[in-house]
Each structure stands twice: as C-alpha cells, then as structure tokens.
Amino acid sequence: MKTAKPLIAGNWKMNGLRADAVALAEAVAADAAASADVCEVAVFPPFTALDAVAGALSGSPVALGGQDCHEAEAGAHTSCISAEMLADLGCRYVILGHSERRHGRRETSETVHDKARAAFRAGLTPIVCVGETRAQRIRGMTTEAIADQVFGSVPDAEGPMMFAYEPVWAIGTGKTATVEDIARIHDWLARLLHALGRDCEGSPILYGGSVKPDNAAAILAVEEVGGLLVGGASLDAEAFGAVIRAAG
Ligand code: PGA
C-alpha cells in the first residue's frame, strides 16, 4: 500500500563532467521544488561530480546519492569509495547491486550484503537492486532469481532500506515490463520482504528499466510501486522533469 510520496531517482551512471552535472542538477532542483508536494527526488551523479552537485542542490529538496560504495570504512582499497565518504559529501542514499555491477562487474549478493551493512554504518539508505535476466525470464525463473538476490543481499542489521525491481532485460533497452508484470512482481516482492521483516511501508520498492515520460504515470499508478529508478531519461532535464511531473 502506498503510504509515502514516491521517490523519483535519477541514476546518471558514468555520464557528465562537473559543468554538465551542475546544469542538470539545477534543472532537476527547479522541477523537484515545483513537485515537492507529490514526490521526493534524488539524483545519483558519478563520484567525481558529487561535490559540485551537492553545492548546486544546496537548499533544494533534491537528495543526493552514490552509485555504489565499498564495504570497508577505509583502508588499502585502491579506486574505491566508502559509505562514509559518500555521507561526508552529503549523500542520503547509495545504489547497491545494480545489474551493471552484478552482471557487468560480477558482484555477488554477498558483497551487496556487506555493502548494505556499510551503508547502515554510515547512516545511508541503501537502494538494493534486484531483477531477472532475459534468460531467467524465458526459463520461468524470475521469482527464483530475485529471491536468491534478496536472501543473499539483505542484512539482518537494522536500518532503513529500499529496493528497486529492475528487470535486467529492460535496462537501457527501451523495453519495459508491462504494468501487469510490474504489479505481480512488486506485490510478490513486498510479501517476501514483509516475511523477512523488511516491511514495504518502510522499504518502498522502486521500478527501474526504460522508464520514460510516456510510461512513468502508468507505472507509478501500480499499487506496490513506491517510485522510479530512471537511467537514460534522467540525463535529459526535460525528460526527467516530465517523469517528476508524472508523479502528480
Ligand atoms: P534505464 O536505466 O532507465 O536507462 O533503463 C535504469 C537503471 O539502470 O537504473
């Protein structure tokens, strides 16, 4: 059941130098302020732009997040960023277990689990992504694949946590799950999380995968959808603004 304002999250992935990121953040801040009564908005710039975007968002209702973090607090981990470093930059969220990490970088659920604990430690809210590949879907293994990821990734530790259902075959492909499929998977996932003591009221489930201005309102209307995780369309100020307005 929807109990809170939906979160419209923009995952910028590995896109944007600082000047582009600041310009995009300023546009998002204006759209988010105009829709602040109906939705929350968060952006996930590349690490290199976080500081500049934090400055551009100062005083705006837009929350900031990191696209990943390391499980350790500090140490000899060349190239990595800790959850504490993200918090230090003003982040509230961190995306974990995105398919571009699980499948693209062979990240296991065990690692996602440890990163989620690190996020709690730093006071961040992890947004854990789960979703089936095209091959798993064709074999009728969608719920098994997602259940495996949930059981492996969710720590026992207490902390605010969010989830994103992102069918891997829908990410960046222009293909979106049908609203019927989204409703079915979100409802099933909400029950699974409830059974794990991760009640959906406190852990809204976002949908992600080729969300665009023309499908955002229909997906947000699905009962168990608590928001949207938007990739490609979040890089275009006009398109992301239209997605934000679809929440109203
Ligand atoms: P997309 O990406 O909107 O470009 O499909 C979504 C995501 O990767 O979170």
Side-chain angles (χ1 to χ4, degrees):
M1 190 165 60
K2 291 189 200 290
T3 55
K5 288 189 266 186
L7 175 67
I8 310 298
N11 175 9
W12 297 356
K13 308 192 180 183
M14 197 175 74
N15 293 291
L17 303 181
R18 286 177 302 160
D20 312 318
V22 165
L24 182 54
E26 284 168 353
V28 173
D31 287 323
S35 294
D37 289 347
V38 292
C39 65
E40 309 277 352
V41 177
V43 292
F44 297 77
F47 293 136
T48 49
L50 277 171
D51 204 21
V53 169
L57 294 179
S58 151
S60 95
V62 181
L64 192 62
Q67 297 176 16
D68 189 29
C69 69
H70 193 274
E71 53 271 36
E73 188 174 343
H77 303 289
T78 301
S79 88
C80 298
I81 305 282
S82 72
E84 282 75 7
M85 290 169 178
L86 295 178
D88 185 45
L89 284 165
C91 289
R92 187 191 303 169
Y93 299 104
V94 60
I95 294 172
L96 297 178
H98 189 280
S99 80
E100 285 149 19
R101 302 233 27 114
R102 286 186 190 271
H103 302 286
R105 312 301 295 176
R106 302 208 182 148
E107 186 163 293
T108 63
S109 289
E110 196 184 356
T111 304
V112 177
H113 167 279
D114 293 348
K115 291 180 173 185
R117 289 188 67 96
F120 293 157
R121 188 186 63 220
L124 300 177
T125 299
I127 301 177
V128 172
C129 302
V130 295
E132 80 285 4
T133 62
R134 187 166 170 275
Q136 287 165 331
R137 176 179 158 88
I138 290 167
R139 291 204 308 272
M141 305 276 292
T142 295
T143 51
E144 285 88 336
I146 298 173
D148 267 3
Q149 292 172 335
V150 169
F151 289 131
S153 309
V154 177
D156 289 338
E158 280 306 309
M161 196 164 183
M162 298 176 76
F163 294 84
Y165 169 52
E166 298 208 301
V168 178
W169 50 269
I171 295 175
T173 58
K175 297 188 182 118
T176 319
T178 62
V179 283
E180 290 77 17
D181 277 349
I182 296 171
R184 186 173 55 81
I185 298 296
H186 275 241
D187 181 58
W188 167 82
L189 185 53
R191 287 165 204 267
L192 181 69
L193 294 171
H194 178 72
L196 285 174
R198 291 275 170 198
D199 212 293
C200 222
E201 262 180 60
S203 308
I205 305 170
L206 313 182
Y207 171 80
S210 296
V211 172
K212 303 273 183 281
D214 60 0
N215 59 22
I219 297 171
L220 281 170
V222 174
E223 184 62 21
E224 295 290 358
V225 170
L228 302 170
L229 184 51
V230 187
S234 73
L235 294 171
D236 178 315
E238 214 166 290
F240 195 57
V243 172
I244 291 171
R245 286 189 292 281

